Amino acid sequence: MRARRIGLALTVAGMLLLISRTSNMAQGPLLGGMVDQAKAMAKIGGADTRLELHMHGVLLAATVGTMLAIGLYPTVVRMSARWVVHLEQTGSIPALVRHIMLRSRWKHARYYIKRPTWSMLASLLSGAKPKRLIVLNMTVTAIYTTGVVSALYASYLWPAQGTAMSMSSGLINGMATVLLTLLIDPRLAVLSEKTLRGELPLNRMNNMYGWMIISRLAGTMLAQLLLVPLAVWLGCIMG
């Protein structure tokens, strides 16, 4: 939005999303290994009572990561706007990456560092609050955060259907995808277009995205409460 180039901004966002999804791919085998170890202990007559605690720890890590993202948000917004401009100049993602990795470019990185300030929070609290969107985004985030973790925990609780349980996270995440596609994305797209055309002030959009990231933080906390209920729900369906 700051760079006034929606198409290029979506490309940069896709690049960052690819990095995020790659990290999720690395997380999957680690979580699966924890569940396999707990199953092995159960077979020899033991019980890994720590598995649920470890799963809650994984969800807590998501909360900590989101808090870190809130701290980095102003800096990443500034840097992303610059990356969009560089993408227009270089013409491709590989060329953009090479351009960013030049040592001469990193010496200017300090100019883009910006810490969150109390004035930002005051602006959020004093502005309009999209309550419906906040609740929806919190719910979607909670479901996405615990979807895979609940499926793996269900595979431990119902080892006879372990493979089916571990592959059924789509039943959980599918609900979040529907909510995201039908109720959240269109609203954000409309606001973005209106802001780009000058029909809405930029600070209105800034406040919207501020509430979105705060509701995402709340969603990772809500995921703690959904871990076991969603695992039991999967067990009732698949069992």
Side-chain angles (χ1 to χ4, degrees):
M1 188 61 63
R2 292 173 179 264
R4 318 292 292 184
R5 298 168 176 86
I6 292 293
L8 293 174
L10 289 175
T11 301
V12 173
M15 179 182 69
L16 297 175
L17 184 61
L18 177 62
I19 297 173
S20 173
R21 288 177 175 173
T22 301
S23 65
N24 284 336
M25 290 172 60
Q27 173 186 278
L30 296 176
L31 291 176
M34 290 169 52
V35 175
D36 288 341
Q37 184 178 9
K39 289 180 179 179
M41 291 185 63
K43 286 182 178 179
I44 60 177
D48 192 350
T49 57
R50 299 172 300 171
L51 180 61
E52 182 179 341
L53 182 62
H54 290 163
M55 293 298 190
H56 282 291
V58 171
L59 299 181
L60 178 61
T63 301
V64 174
T66 305
M67 294 175 64
L68 179 62
I70 292 175
L72 294 176
Y73 180 73
T75 299
V76 174
V77 167
R78 284 185 165 195
M79 297 186 71
S80 296
R82 192 60 185 168
W83 292 343
V84 168
V85 175
H86 286 321
L87 178 60
E88 186 175 30
Q89 295 173 351
T90 57
S92 68
I93 291 294
L96 172 64
V97 173
R98 290 196 301 269
H99 186 76
I100 292 174
M101 296 308 295
L102 291 176
R103 184 179 299 179
S104 59
R105 297 292 175 184
W106 281 100
K107 67 181 181 181
H108 302 295
R110 66 181 182 274
Y111 296 113
Y112 299 98
I113 297 176
K114 181 177 177 59
R115 293 180 298 176
T117 62
W118 287 110
S119 61
M120 296 179 182
L121 179 60
S123 176
L124 281 179
L125 297 177
S126 62
K129 301 175 184 63
K131 297 179 182 179
R132 179 170 173 268
L133 204 57
I134 289 173
V135 173
L136 284 172
N137 192 54
M138 182 176 66
T139 303
V140 167
T141 300
I143 296 174
Y144 270 134
T145 301
T146 193
V148 173
V149 181
S150 291
L152 289 172
Y153 189 57
S155 71
Y156 168 74
L157 296 178
W158 286 271
Q161 293 87 24
T163 302
M165 295 291 183
S166 61
M167 298 296 292
S168 60
S169 61
L171 293 176
I172 299 175
N173 291 340
M175 297 183 293
T177 302
V178 171
L179 292 174
L180 180 67
T181 304
L182 297 182
L183 301 178
I184 297 180
D185 281 349
R187 177 62 175 166
L188 293 178
V190 169
L191 289 175
S192 298
E193 291 294 336
K194 287 185 176 181
T195 304
L196 192 62
R197 293 196 299 264
E199 298 176 13
L200 290 175
L202 182 59
N203 65 336
R204 171 76 178 277
M205 199 68 203
N206 289 338
N207 286 348
M208 175 67 71
Y209 279 109
W211 281 114
M212 292 297 288
I213 195 170
I214 290 175
S215 62
R216 180 176 290 270
L217 174 64
T220 61
M221 297 177 181
L222 178 61
Q224 299 279 359
L225 302 178
L226 297 181
L227 171 63
V228 176
L230 287 178
V232 174
W233 177 71
L234 280 179
C236 294
I237 293 177
M238 304 300 293

